[in-house]
Amino acid sequence: PHRLDRRRDLMRALDGWQQRVEGDGTVAHDTAYQRAFSVVTSAEAKRAFKVEEEPLALRERYGMHEWGQSCLMGRRLIESGVRYVQVNWSARGWDQITKKDDLFTRSTFDSHFGHFPWLRRQLPRLDQGLAALLGDMADRGLFKKTLVIIMSEFGRANGVNADGGREHWPKAQTILMAGAGLAGGRSVGATDEGGAEVVSGMFGPQELLNSVYYLCGLDVPVTLRQAGIVRDSSEGIPGLI
Protein backbone atom coordinates (compact mmCIF):
# COMPACT_ATOMS: atom_id res chain seq x y z
CA PRO A 1 0.00 0.00 0.00
CA HIS A 2 2.77 2.51 0.80
CA ARG A 3 4.30 1.99 -2.64
CA LEU A 4 0.94 2.70 -4.28
CA ASP A 5 0.55 5.84 -2.14
CA ARG A 6 4.01 7.05 -3.18
CA ARG A 7 3.14 6.52 -6.83
CA ARG A 8 -0.09 8.43 -6.38
CA ASP A 9 1.78 11.33 -4.72
CA LEU A 10 4.30 11.40 -7.54
CA MET A 11 1.53 11.35 -10.12
CA ARG A 12 -0.23 14.26 -8.37
CA ALA A 13 2.98 16.29 -8.38
CA LEU A 14 3.43 15.68 -12.09
CA ASP A 15 -0.23 16.41 -12.78
CA GLY A 16 0.07 19.72 -10.91
CA TRP A 17 2.86 20.71 -13.25
CA GLN A 18 0.84 19.54 -16.25
CA GLN A 19 -2.11 21.69 -15.26
CA ARG A 20 0.13 24.75 -15.34
CA VAL A 21 1.49 24.04 -18.79
CA GLU A 22 -1.29 22.16 -20.57
CA GLY A 23 -4.90 22.76 -21.51
CA ASP A 24 -8.25 21.13 -20.87
CA GLY A 25 -6.99 17.72 -21.97
CA THR A 26 -5.31 17.30 -18.60
CA VAL A 27 -8.72 17.09 -16.89
CA ALA A 28 -9.71 14.05 -18.92
CA HIS A 29 -6.26 12.54 -18.27
CA ASP A 30 -6.62 13.00 -14.49
CA THR A 31 -10.15 11.64 -14.47
CA ALA A 32 -9.01 8.44 -16.17
CA TYR A 33 -6.23 7.92 -13.63
CA GLN A 34 -8.52 8.58 -10.67
CA ARG A 35 -10.98 6.01 -12.01
CA ALA A 36 -8.12 3.53 -12.35
CA PHE A 37 -7.01 4.08 -8.75
CA SER A 38 -10.58 3.69 -7.52
CA VAL A 39 -10.79 0.30 -9.23
CA VAL A 40 -7.44 -0.90 -7.88
CA THR A 41 -8.21 0.19 -4.33
CA SER A 42 -11.85 -0.95 -4.27
CA ALA A 43 -12.99 -3.64 -1.87
CA GLU A 44 -13.87 -5.92 -4.78
CA ALA A 45 -10.40 -5.65 -6.31
CA LYS A 46 -8.68 -6.19 -2.98
CA ARG A 47 -10.69 -9.33 -2.41
CA ALA A 48 -9.79 -10.58 -5.89
CA PHE A 49 -6.19 -11.01 -4.75
CA LYS A 50 -7.25 -13.52 -2.09
CA VAL A 51 -7.02 -16.65 -4.21
CA GLU A 52 -7.11 -18.75 -1.05
CA GLU A 53 -10.87 -18.14 -1.02
CA GLU A 54 -11.22 -20.42 -4.05
CA PRO A 55 -11.95 -24.15 -3.57
CA LEU A 56 -8.76 -26.18 -3.35
CA ALA A 57 -9.82 -28.36 -6.28
CA LEU A 58 -10.08 -25.31 -8.55
CA ARG A 59 -6.73 -23.97 -7.39
CA GLU A 60 -5.14 -27.33 -8.17
CA ARG A 61 -6.80 -27.29 -11.59
CA TYR A 62 -4.92 -24.07 -12.36
CA GLY A 63 -1.72 -25.50 -10.86
CA MET A 64 -0.19 -24.79 -7.47
CA HIS A 65 2.62 -22.75 -8.97
CA GLU A 66 3.20 -19.06 -9.61
CA TRP A 67 1.80 -19.03 -13.14
CA GLY A 68 -1.31 -21.07 -12.36
CA GLN A 69 -2.25 -19.06 -9.29
CA SER A 70 -1.55 -15.81 -11.18
CA CYS A 71 -3.99 -16.89 -13.91
CA LEU A 72 -6.58 -17.62 -11.23
CA MET A 73 -5.98 -14.18 -9.74
CA GLY A 74 -6.41 -12.68 -13.21
CA ARG A 75 -9.81 -14.32 -13.58
CA ARG A 76 -10.84 -13.02 -10.15
CA LEU A 77 -9.79 -9.48 -11.11
CA ILE A 78 -11.79 -9.59 -14.35
CA GLU A 79 -14.76 -10.93 -12.44
CA SER A 80 -14.48 -8.09 -9.90
CA GLY A 81 -14.70 -5.43 -12.63
CA VAL A 82 -11.08 -4.72 -13.55
CA ARG A 83 -11.07 -4.01 -17.30
CA TYR A 84 -7.44 -4.75 -18.13
CA VAL A 85 -5.29 -7.41 -16.47
CA GLN A 86 -1.70 -8.35 -17.29
CA VAL A 87 -0.53 -11.70 -15.93
CA ASN A 88 3.26 -12.05 -16.05
CA TRP A 89 4.91 -15.44 -16.26
CA SER A 90 7.52 -14.40 -13.71
CA ALA A 91 9.14 -11.34 -12.22
CA ARG A 92 12.60 -12.85 -12.58
CA GLY A 93 14.52 -11.30 -15.46
CA TRP A 94 17.50 -12.51 -17.44
CA ASP A 95 19.86 -10.38 -15.36
CA GLN A 96 18.99 -12.53 -12.34
CA ILE A 97 19.96 -15.79 -14.03
CA THR A 98 23.44 -17.21 -14.43
CA LYS A 99 24.67 -20.38 -16.07
CA LYS A 100 25.44 -21.75 -12.61
CA ASP A 101 21.74 -21.88 -11.78
CA ASP A 102 19.95 -25.17 -11.70
CA LEU A 103 17.94 -25.38 -14.94
CA PHE A 104 14.85 -26.34 -13.02
CA THR A 105 14.86 -23.29 -10.72
CA ARG A 106 14.58 -20.75 -13.53
CA SER A 107 11.32 -18.94 -14.10
CA THR A 108 11.56 -17.12 -17.44
CA PHE A 109 11.35 -18.22 -21.08
CA ASP A 110 14.57 -16.39 -22.02
CA SER A 111 16.30 -19.65 -22.89
CA HIS A 112 19.74 -18.65 -24.14
CA PHE A 113 21.09 -21.92 -22.77
CA GLY A 114 19.64 -25.29 -21.75
CA HIS A 115 16.58 -24.63 -23.90
CA PHE A 116 15.08 -28.11 -24.07
CA PRO A 117 15.19 -29.25 -20.42
CA TRP A 118 14.06 -25.76 -19.52
CA LEU A 119 10.92 -25.95 -21.66
CA ARG A 120 10.12 -29.47 -20.52
CA ARG A 121 9.54 -27.86 -17.14
CA GLN A 122 7.88 -24.64 -18.31
CA LEU A 123 5.45 -25.75 -21.01
CA PRO A 124 3.31 -28.13 -18.91
CA ARG A 125 2.78 -25.32 -16.41
CA LEU A 126 1.88 -22.88 -19.17
CA ASP A 127 -0.61 -25.35 -20.66
CA GLN A 128 -2.17 -26.16 -17.30
CA GLY A 129 -2.73 -22.58 -16.19
CA LEU A 130 -3.95 -21.36 -19.56
CA ALA A 131 -6.35 -24.27 -20.14
CA ALA A 132 -7.81 -23.81 -16.67
CA LEU A 133 -8.19 -20.06 -17.20
CA LEU A 134 -10.04 -20.37 -20.49
CA GLY A 135 -12.26 -23.17 -19.23
CA ASP A 136 -13.04 -21.41 -15.96
CA MET A 137 -13.90 -18.16 -17.74
CA ALA A 138 -16.19 -20.05 -20.12
CA ASP A 139 -17.94 -21.74 -17.18
CA ARG A 140 -18.57 -18.34 -15.58
CA GLY A 141 -19.78 -16.58 -18.73
CA LEU A 142 -16.69 -14.34 -18.94
CA PHE A 143 -15.04 -15.86 -21.99
CA LYS A 144 -17.23 -14.39 -24.72
CA LYS A 145 -16.74 -10.84 -23.48
CA THR A 146 -13.05 -11.02 -22.55
CA LEU A 147 -10.13 -11.02 -24.96
CA VAL A 148 -7.21 -13.20 -23.81
CA ILE A 149 -3.80 -12.66 -25.44
CA ILE A 150 -0.74 -14.82 -24.79
CA MET A 151 2.41 -13.20 -26.15
CA SER A 152 6.00 -12.17 -25.48
CA GLU A 153 8.41 -9.64 -26.96
CA PHE A 154 9.64 -11.85 -29.80
CA GLY A 155 10.25 -15.43 -30.94
CA ARG A 156 13.26 -17.70 -30.53
CA ALA A 157 15.79 -18.57 -33.23
CA ASN A 158 15.22 -21.93 -34.92
CA GLY A 159 18.92 -22.76 -34.53
CA VAL A 160 20.52 -24.00 -31.31
CA ASN A 161 23.65 -22.26 -30.02
CA ALA A 162 26.73 -23.82 -28.43
CA ASP A 163 25.08 -23.70 -24.99
CA GLY A 164 22.04 -25.63 -26.13
CA GLY A 165 19.92 -22.49 -26.16
CA ARG A 166 17.97 -20.39 -28.62
CA GLU A 167 18.69 -16.71 -29.15
CA HIS A 168 16.25 -13.82 -29.68
CA TRP A 169 14.41 -13.85 -33.00
CA PRO A 170 12.46 -10.72 -34.00
CA LYS A 171 11.43 -11.90 -37.48
CA ALA A 172 8.61 -14.21 -36.44
CA GLN A 173 6.68 -15.21 -33.35
CA THR A 174 3.40 -16.80 -32.38
CA ILE A 175 0.61 -15.00 -30.52
CA LEU A 176 -2.42 -16.79 -29.13
CA MET A 177 -5.73 -14.92 -28.96
CA ALA A 178 -8.97 -16.30 -27.54
CA GLY A 179 -12.35 -15.19 -26.29
CA ALA A 180 -14.21 -11.98 -27.22
CA GLY A 181 -16.27 -13.85 -29.82
CA LEU A 182 -13.25 -15.01 -31.85
CA ALA A 183 -13.67 -18.31 -33.66
CA GLY A 184 -11.24 -20.83 -32.21
CA GLY A 185 -9.12 -23.53 -33.80
CA ARG A 186 -7.63 -21.32 -36.49
CA SER A 187 -4.23 -19.97 -37.43
CA VAL A 188 -3.81 -16.64 -39.21
CA GLY A 189 -0.58 -16.16 -41.15
CA ALA A 190 2.22 -18.68 -41.56
CA THR A 191 5.98 -19.13 -41.36
CA ASP A 192 8.30 -21.49 -43.17
CA GLU A 193 8.79 -25.01 -41.80
CA GLY A 194 11.48 -23.88 -39.37
CA GLY A 195 9.44 -20.99 -37.99
CA ALA A 196 12.11 -18.50 -39.04
CA GLU A 197 10.59 -16.43 -41.85
CA VAL A 198 7.03 -15.24 -42.46
CA VAL A 199 5.67 -16.64 -45.71
CA SER A 200 2.11 -15.28 -45.55
CA GLY A 201 0.26 -12.71 -43.49
CA MET A 202 2.97 -10.49 -42.02
CA PHE A 203 1.38 -8.59 -39.14
CA GLY A 204 2.95 -6.39 -36.48
CA PRO A 205 2.10 -4.51 -33.29
CA GLN A 206 -0.03 -1.97 -35.16
CA GLU A 207 -2.39 -4.61 -36.54
CA LEU A 208 -2.56 -6.24 -33.11
CA LEU A 209 -3.52 -2.90 -31.52
CA ASN A 210 -6.18 -2.32 -34.18
CA SER A 211 -7.64 -5.76 -33.46
CA VAL A 212 -7.81 -5.06 -29.72
CA TYR A 213 -9.41 -1.63 -30.28
CA TYR A 214 -11.94 -3.09 -32.71
CA LEU A 215 -12.94 -5.89 -30.31
CA CYS A 216 -13.33 -3.27 -27.56
CA GLY A 217 -15.82 -1.44 -29.78
CA LEU A 218 -13.52 1.53 -30.29
CA ASP A 219 -13.14 3.51 -33.48
CA VAL A 220 -9.38 4.00 -33.80
CA PRO A 221 -8.78 7.76 -33.43
CA VAL A 222 -7.53 9.65 -36.46
CA THR A 223 -4.72 11.11 -34.35
CA LEU A 224 -3.27 7.65 -33.70
CA ARG A 225 -3.20 6.94 -37.42
CA GLN A 226 -1.54 10.26 -38.17
CA ALA A 227 1.11 9.57 -35.52
CA GLY A 228 1.86 6.20 -37.09
CA ILE A 229 0.90 4.29 -33.94
CA VAL A 230 -1.78 2.27 -35.75
CA ARG A 231 -2.46 1.60 -39.41
CA ASP A 232 -5.49 2.66 -41.41
CA SER A 233 -7.27 -0.70 -41.18
CA SER A 234 -9.80 -0.34 -38.35
CA GLU A 235 -10.43 -4.09 -38.08
CA GLY A 236 -6.84 -5.08 -37.37
CA ILE A 237 -5.43 -8.44 -38.44
CA PRO A 238 -7.25 -9.61 -41.62
CA GLY A 239 -9.02 -12.91 -41.10
CA LEU A 240 -8.83 -12.81 -37.30
CA ILE A 241 -12.31 -11.44 -36.66
Side-chain angles (χ1 to χ4, degrees):
H2 72 278
R3 290 176 62 194
L4 184 61
D5 288 340
R6 288 175 61 192
R7 292 172 186 169
R8 195 201 314 254
D9 291 342
L10 177 60
M11 187 189 72
R12 285 172 175 168
L14 291 172
D15 286 348
W17 174 79
Q18 282 183 315
Q19 290 172 2
R20 293 193 297 272
V21 298
E22 295 184 1
D24 296 337
T26 306
V27 176
H29 178 270
D30 287 350
T31 301
Y33 269 98
Q34 291 304 319
R35 289 178 62 191
F37 270 107
S38 67
V39 170
V40 172
T41 58
S42 68
E44 293 81 3
K46 289 177 180 177
R47 185 177 179 184
F49 288 100
K50 298 180 180 180
V51 295
E52 63 273 11
E53 294 182 352
E54 295 286 345
L56 180 59
L58 181 62
R59 294 188 65 188
E60 291 176 341
R61 177 180 162 193
Y62 275 86
M64 300 300 286
H65 39 73
E66 182 180 358
W67 166 252
Q69 297 304 294
S70 297
C71 287
L72 176 55
M73 188 181 298
R75 187 226 81 201
R76 289 174 62 86
L77 285 166
I78 292 293
E79 201 169 30
S80 71
V82 178
R83 300 298 301 273
Y84 176 87
V85 175
Q86 176 174 313
V87 180
N88 293 330
W89 176 263
S90 173
R92 289 189 70 194
W94 175 253
D95 58 341
Q96 298 173 279
I97 296 175
T98 70
K99 292 185 180 182
K100 294 180 180 179
D101 282 355
D102 181 350
L103 288 174
F104 300 102
T105 65
R106 300 178 194 160
S107 299
T108 74
F109 274 92
D110 206 9
S111 52
H112 289 277
F113 57 92
H115 177 83
F116 297 100
W118 199 337
L119 291 192
R120 278 193 287 271
R121 172 184 180 269
Q122 304 285 66
L123 294 179
R125 294 186 176 190
L126 176 65
D127 289 348
Q128 181 183 19
L130 179 58
L133 172 65
L134 299 182
D136 195 15
M137 292 183 71
D139 293 341
R140 295 168 183 271
L142 300 171
F143 187 61
K144 289 185 178 181
K145 59 182 181 180
T146 307
L147 176 65
V148 182
I149 304 176
I150 306 293
M151 63 181 295
S152 62
E153 304 99 320
F154 37 64
R156 311 303 298 189
N158 65 343
V160 179
N161 62 26
D163 294 316
R166 293 181 184 243
E167 305 294 350
H168 298 169
W169 190 256
K171 292 185 178 182
Q173 72 175 103
T174 299
I175 296 174
L176 186 151
M177 301 177 72
L182 297 179
R186 300 176 299 129
S187 59
V188 179
T191 63
D192 58 17
E193 186 175 352
E197 303 287 343
V198 177
V199 295
S200 69
M202 183 176 289
F203 312 119
Q206 293 180 324
E207 286 83 6
L208 177 63
L209 279 174
N210 278 343
S211 300
V212 173
Y213 294 149
Y214 181 82
L215 289 170
C216 287
L218 302 176
D219 180 22
V220 180
V222 174
T223 53
L224 292 182
R225 295 194 187 103
Q226 292 175 342
I229 296 174
V230 297
R231 299 194 193 282
D232 289 337
S233 172
S234 63
E235 295 188 11
I237 299 173
L240 175 66
I241 301 169

